[in-house]
Amino acid sequence: CIKRISTIQDAGFPIKVYGFLTEGYTENLKNIPFQIHETINREQSASKINKVLLFRSTIKRILKENKQNCIFYFFGFEIASIAYCLGCRNYIYEEADISATRANNNFIRRSLLSLDKQIIRKSKLTILTSAGFIEYLFNNQCPKNVILQPNKLSPYFYSEQKRIGIKKEFNTEHLTFGFVGAIRYPNTIMRFAQVIGSMFPQHELHFYGAATDHSYIDPIVNIHKNVFFHGPFRNPVDLPSIYENIDISIACYDTTSENVKIAEPNKLYESIYFETPLVVSSETFLARQVEKYDIGFCIDASNDDSISNFITQINISQLQHASKNMHAIAYKELVDSPKILIEYVA
């Protein structure tokens, strides 16, 4: 959302930014190029009903305070659904995750998905960040007020950085795997780390990002000398130095989540930009993209043997082939273009 807010501000539109603050990752808020009008603290320990009531009362107040000559920009289903149910119809909606898929009850999930589609259709404009979302929600029959804006790199990379060249020579006797992002997914990402730590002492795995639950990662890092945790980083400033030290980017998200199966995470575009071969979970939209461009590997990351076999069978020609294919993709296809959104808003 920081990237999108900056785009709107840079285009000359006056903005007022409201945000709900949690105990999660906040490193990127330290040097944002805009002012936050109000931050609302949301206690992690609060019950679900209390969180909903906080959202409702706060959003109701914000809608009332800004009802004159204002277009609201809602990030996420939770905020958009409450505002919609409060009667707001003058809004732009951005959805980076299909949150409704997380509901365990089939009736509730179908009801939430129906509401989500209604919010999209009634919006002035909706931005979806994955073609997999359009396929899932609308069977590829995209409403006219929906645009696709994948999770590409920040426009920072247009002006501040030059794309690096082909990666260094790979050495399959010593490979450096890297996971870049919020650290979670114990059944896949942590499993990958456990396999490398216990079975492949000649290789390394490095974690870059915030860990809201250290019970996942601390035991692995403490036991295995070839698994490292570097903590939060500054996005996008630190990305070049991070990817310069990674041979293979791990993006094996847990496919027990329906949202994971259809999302197109920014790791795809980051890894391509820095020409770092990807390993992803099979049977996902991300895997289809990796196979389409022939830029990495698809495995069952919920299985130790699958991970072990993948690592054992990696060869230099595969890595060089993937990196070369990444290099062939024009960098402008990998960086977010602010013009697309502004053309619709203006």
Side-chain angles (χ1 to χ4, degrees), residues 166-167 170 275 277 318-327:
I166 292 291
K167 293 289 291 184
F170 298 103
E275 301 169 17
Q318 290 174 316
L319 296 172
Q320 290 176 335
H321 177 75
S323 184
K324 183 178 180 180
N325 288 344
M326 289 173 158
H327 183 73

Side-chain angles (χ1 to χ4, degrees), residues 30-217:
K30 293 181 178 179
N31 297 298
I32 54 175
F34 52 82
Q35 184 178 10
I36 298 178
H37 183 77
E38 182 181 350
T39 300
I40 302 96
N41 288 310
R42 187 183 70 180
E43 294 293 334
Q44 290 291 90
S45 58
S47 67
K48 184 170 289 188
I49 186 65
N50 284 337
K51 289 179 182 178
V52 172
L53 291 174
L54 173 63
F55 268 54
R56 187 183 186 281
S57 63
T58 304
I59 292 170
K60 184 177 181 179
R61 173 177 58 81
I62 292 171
L63 293 177
K64 185 177 180 180
E65 291 174 355
N66 299 278
K67 61 183 178 181
Q68 298 296 326
N69 300 319
C70 180
I71 295 179
F72 295 94
Y73 199 124
F74 300 132
F75 288 97
F77 174 70
E78 290 81 0
I79 292 173
S81 60
I82 292 173
Y84 183 83
C85 292
L86 287 170
C88 181
R89 297 295 182 270
N90 196 30
Y91 62 89
I92 296 171
Y93 177 34
E94 178 160 345
E95 196 163 27
D97 294 291
I98 308 298
S99 303
T101 61
R102 300 188 182 118
N104 294 323
N105 181 280
N106 287 334
F107 174 76
I108 294 176
R109 183 168 59 253
R110 287 196 298 269
S111 299
L112 292 176
L113 285 170
S114 177
L115 175 60
D116 197 13
K117 287 186 274 190
Q118 189 173 350
I119 293 169
I120 291 171
R121 290 192 174 101
K122 294 294 184 179
S123 69
K124 299 291 185 184
L125 179 71
T126 289
I127 295 92
L128 297 179
T129 59
S130 170
F133 294 167
I134 297 173
E135 183 180 291
Y136 180 81
L137 291 171
F138 301 108
N139 196 26
N140 284 327
Q141 302 300 311
C142 186
K144 292 182 179 179
N145 64 329
V146 173
I147 62 172
L148 176 65
Q149 281 276 79
N151 286 306
K152 297 183 179 182
L153 278 81
S154 164
Y156 165 87
F157 288 97
Y158 270 129
S159 57
E160 299 296 331
Q161 298 289 332
K162 292 183 179 179
R163 188 175 180 183
I164 62 174
I166 292 291
K167 293 289 291 184
K168 62 184 178 182
E169 289 295 320
F170 298 103
N171 176 11
T172 53
E173 297 300 316
H174 178 76
L175 291 170
T176 301
F177 296 82
F179 178 81
V180 185
I183 297 168
R184 45 187 171 166
Y185 304 115
N187 192 43
T188 53
I189 301 299
M190 294 301 114
R191 183 184 297 275
F192 207 110
Q194 185 67 44
V195 169
I196 288 181
S198 60
M199 300 177 63
F200 297 93
Q202 73 274 32
H203 301 318
E204 295 180 1
L205 191 153
H206 292 253
F207 286 97
Y208 300 89
T212 54
D213 186 348
H214 280 264
S215 66
Y216 291 153
I217 190 169

Side-chain angles (χ1 to χ4, degrees), residues 130-132 135 260-264 283-290:
S130 170
E135 183 180 291
V260 167
K261 291 181 181 179
I262 58 178
E264 188 177 56
E283 298 184 9
T284 61
F285 181 78
L286 177 58
R288 284 159 53 187
Q289 296 294 82
V290 168

Side-chain angles (χ1 to χ4, degrees), residues 163 166-167 170 268 271-278 289-297 317-331 333-334:
R163 188 175 180 183
I166 292 291
K167 293 289 291 184
F170 298 103
L268 173 67
S271 299
I272 296 174
Y273 185 90
F274 295 108
E275 301 169 17
T276 306
L278 272 162
Q289 296 294 82
V290 168
E291 291 172 342
K292 174 183 176 181
Y293 295 108
D294 195 10
I295 53 174
F297 314 87
S317 63
Q318 290 174 316
L319 296 172
Q320 290 176 335
H321 177 75
S323 184
K324 183 178 180 180
N325 288 344
M326 289 173 158
H327 183 73
I329 299 173
Y331 82 94
E333 297 296 319
L334 310 172

Side-chain angles (χ1 to χ4, degrees), residues 289-319:
Q289 296 294 82
V290 168
E291 291 172 342
K292 174 183 176 181
Y293 295 108
D294 195 10
I295 53 174
F297 314 87
C298 306
I299 68 170
D300 176 8
S302 65
N303 181 280
D304 288 6
D305 289 339
S306 175
I307 298 171
S308 175
N309 290 338
F310 158 68
I311 296 172
T312 301
Q313 294 171 15
I314 295 174
N315 62 61
I316 291 177
S317 63
Q318 290 174 316
L319 296 172

